[in-house]
Amino acid sequence: MKRIVALLATCATAVGLTTLLGPQPAAAAAGCEVDYTVTSQWQGGFQAGVKVTNLGDPVTGWTLKFSLPDSGQKLVQGWNAAWSQSGSTVSAAGTDWNRTLATGASTDLGFVGSFTGSNPKPSAFTLNGVACTGSVEEPPPNPDPGTGTPVGVNGQLHVCGVNLCNQYNRPIQLRGMSTHGIQWFSKCYNNAALDALAKDWKSDLLRIAMYVQENGYETDPAGFTSRVNSLVDMAEARGMYALIDFHTLTPGDPNYNLDRAKTFFASVAARNAAKKNVVYEIANEPNGVSWTAIKSYAEQVIPVIRAADPDAVIIVGTRGWSSLGVSDGSNETEVVNNPVNATNIMYAFHFYAASHKDNYRATVSRAASKLPLFVTEFGTVSATGDGTMDRSSTTAWLDLLDQLKISYANWTYSDANESSAAFKPGTCDGTDYSGSGVLSESGALLKSRISTADSFPTS
Ligand code: IDC
């Protein structure tokens, strides 16, 4: 893997001009850093990751240009920008969701190229015509880390009307990532990975997917309970919310795990009651089971949590793999007409962008004015967790969720060998979770969406 950081001199001529003409009005500060990584190379072809950081004033609309030094080098296909090549110059223009870059903000792009002779690294990187000059300065340490983080700003959450509200009783949207099954991918949830999630991705939440079956909780209740608690602490230390997901999947009837759920939630709710960062998700994806059966399960598990942790938000899964019933030929009315008998609760909605499109979006649009919804899991790909990423459907979904202030967690913050994973396979065997070379196409898209400013209301 080859990696360079473009470091070029700037403003050499500005000094001369000032001397000749006297002081000039301050121009918009400009500058950028490019981190270019060849992530793989094969006979005649290569793939590269390009992380662009804006070091100047905020920009809305940008074009990155660079030069391919060898005449045999050609752009084949790029992502996360509109790519083109003219002569030896390659251009990448920001798209809808990453065209605004705040000062210090980054976006991850990438492309596949071909070459005939050698494959020298590109040169002369510019952003909006200004040479990319160099190193990103570390921001000064936050004087009060407690207040600037998502949990520091929002505090204890509660449901108000159909919204998730913060300590100022104002609606907020949390944007973050879900782990993969912690029985399989615990190596991905170390300090470095969670630092990257909090600081680099600016994630508001970590969903902790604790499978019950498939070598999960049922095989070692004490061990999994303690692993979940430790991830809650790791999220808390970084100011992120922790969504404790009792990841039932097969069998689909959550009542199969009712006793386990009561034991598990009694324990984690007692242990974490004083924390402000915990949200409970009591059944991942009920399937092959009626809403009445799910409601009955919820009305038995919720009191167990409330007895230990009275003020936490609790999320209830819905019929048809948490599709509000749509994947089972039903819809949200079965919940609207027969809601769970409890307060301070929300309902889960899940989607996989390549499989679930307009009719699912229409359901969410309708249901959002009647039910508090939380997208505790979604993928940019098909419901298998794999296959081609559907960028346009994902963008339509995320725009809708932003507009409705519906919180979300993306499946998965892991290096699983499937396209829903944010990192390339093998990433969690290393120490780099921040560079441009480690992200999958889905990871690059989600990081761009999640890392934009939250602007949580504080009064
Ligand atoms: C998938 C994982 C995959 C695993 C499978 C079975 O990505 O590696 O083999 O589960 O455990 C869901 C589920 C979630 C699925 C995901 C993708 O909540 O557990 O993960 N998905 O299939 N619902 C819809 C899709």
Side-chain angles (χ1 to χ4, degrees):
M1 182 179 289
K2 295 181 197 158
R3 183 178 163 133
I4 60 152
V5 174
L7 280 166
L8 301 170
T10 45
C11 300
T13 54
V15 177
L17 279 177
T18 307
T19 321
L20 282 175
L21 306 171
Q24 297 297 298
C32 46
E33 187 206 31
V34 171
D35 173 3
Y36 176 88
T37 310
V38 173
T39 50
S40 57
Q41 185 165 313
W42 56 92
Q43 185 69 42
F46 66 104
Q47 178 171 321
V50 187
K51 179 175 181 173
V52 184
T53 305
N54 175 25
L55 301 179
D57 287 341
V59 291
T60 298
W62 50 264
T63 302
L64 175 79
K65 291 194 178 182
F66 56 84
S67 166
L68 293 174
D70 190 279
S71 61
Q73 290 174 301
K74 295 271 178 296
L75 167 74
V76 176
Q77 189 196 2
W79 53 90
N80 290 355
W83 290 82
S84 60
Q85 180 169 2
S86 166
S88 63
T89 303
V90 172
S91 302
T95 58
D96 291 352
W97 47 269
N98 65 1
R99 57 198 299 274
T100 298
L101 284 180
T103 304
S106 302
T107 188
D108 288 281
L109 320 176
F111 69 98
V112 170
S114 62
F115 65 98
T116 48
S118 61
N119 187 26
K121 65 196 182 195
S123 58
F125 289 95
T126 60
L127 189 71
N128 288 351
V130 175
C132 291
T133 59
S135 54
V136 184
E137 281 180 34
E138 284 299 314
N142 186 334
D144 182 358
T147 56
T149 64
V151 177
V153 172
N154 295 299
Q156 176 62 52
L157 304 172
H158 64 281
V159 179
C160 56
V162 293
N163 293 113
L164 181 64
C165 283
N166 67 9
Q167 60 181 331
Y168 305 104
N169 207 28
R170 298 280 300 276
I172 60 161
Q173 178 197 33
L174 301 178
R175 297 171 296 161
M177 296 296 291
S178 175
T179 68
H180 204 293
I182 57 172
Q183 79 274 40
W184 297 311
F185 288 90
S186 60
K187 65 176 182 177
C188 292
Y189 312 116
N190 53 53
N191 282 321
L194 292 186
D195 281 349
L197 184 63
K199 292 187 188 149
D200 210 29
W201 287 60
K202 300 184 177 58
S203 181
D204 306 322
L205 86 146
L206 173 73
R207 178 187 192 234
I208 303 164
M210 187 198 70
Y211 276 73
V212 186
Q213 276 71 45
E214 303 188 55
N215 290 318
Y217 176 82
E218 66 177 0
T219 63
D220 179 12
F224 278 96
T225 302
S226 125
R227 181 75 186 132
V228 167
N229 286 332
S230 113
L231 288 167
V232 166
D233 293 351
M234 289 169 83
E236 182 188 38
R238 291 161 178 81
M240 290 188 287
Y241 288 93
L243 199 55
I244 298 181
D245 162 32
F246 193 68
H247 201 87
T248 57
L249 185 60
T250 310
D253 182 350
N255 292 291
Y256 175 83
N257 289 304
L258 179 61
D259 288 343
R260 290 182 196 91
K262 287 181 177 171
T263 304
F264 172 72
F265 282 111
S267 173
V268 290
R271 194 265 186 186
N272 298 305
K275 296 187 190 295
K276 294 180 177 165
N277 74 316
V278 177
V279 176
Y280 303 97
E281 182 182 2
I282 60 175
N284 167 50
E285 291 190 348
N287 58 86
V289 66
S290 69
W291 168 244
T292 327
I294 302 165
K295 175 175 142 85
S296 159
Y297 167 85
E299 289 175 354
Q300 294 175 78
V301 175
I302 291 170
V304 172
I305 299 176
R306 288 276 181 261
D309 186 350
D311 63 354
V313 172
I314 299 175
I315 304 171
V316 181
T318 57
R319 185 175 153 202
W321 294 273
S322 287
S323 68
L324 284 169
V326 181
S327 290
D328 263 356
S330 182
N331 60 45
E332 78 283 4
T333 55
E334 66 184 19
V335 182
V336 173
N337 296 334
N338 189 18
V340 171
N341 184 15
T343 54
N344 213 23
I345 62 162
M346 305 186 83
Y347 296 93
F349 184 85
H350 292 180
F351 65 85
Y352 277 73
S355 304
H356 309 128
K357 301 188 179 179
D358 288 343
N359 59 325
Y360 288 82
R361 283 191 281 268
T363 302
V364 167
S365 304
R366 267 195 327 265
S369 63
K370 303 197 176 80
L371 298 170
L373 300 179
F374 196 128
V375 172
T376 53
E377 182 186 310
F378 78 94
T380 61
V381 299
S382 87
T384 62
D386 212 349
T388 311
M389 180 177 95
D390 191 327
R391 182 180 302 279
S392 68
S393 175
T394 301
T395 302
W397 269 115
L398 294 181
D399 289 350
L400 178 66
L401 300 185
D402 290 353
Q403 184 201 325
L404 296 171
K405 276 200 192 307
I406 295 178
S407 300
Y408 63 75
N410 173 249
W411 185 263
T412 57
Y413 196 68
S414 84
D415 69 349
N417 190 12
E418 51 192 20
S419 56
S420 53
F423 293 115
K424 293 185 180 152
T427 300
C428 300
D429 299 322
T431 53
D432 179 11
Y433 295 89
S434 296
S436 58
V438 297
L439 293 172
S440 68
E441 199 177 359
S442 183
L445 173 55
L446 260 297
K447 187 177 174 187
S448 315
R449 295 289 303 217
I450 289 175
S451 61
T452 58
D454 282 304
S455 319
F456 294 122
T458 55
S459 60

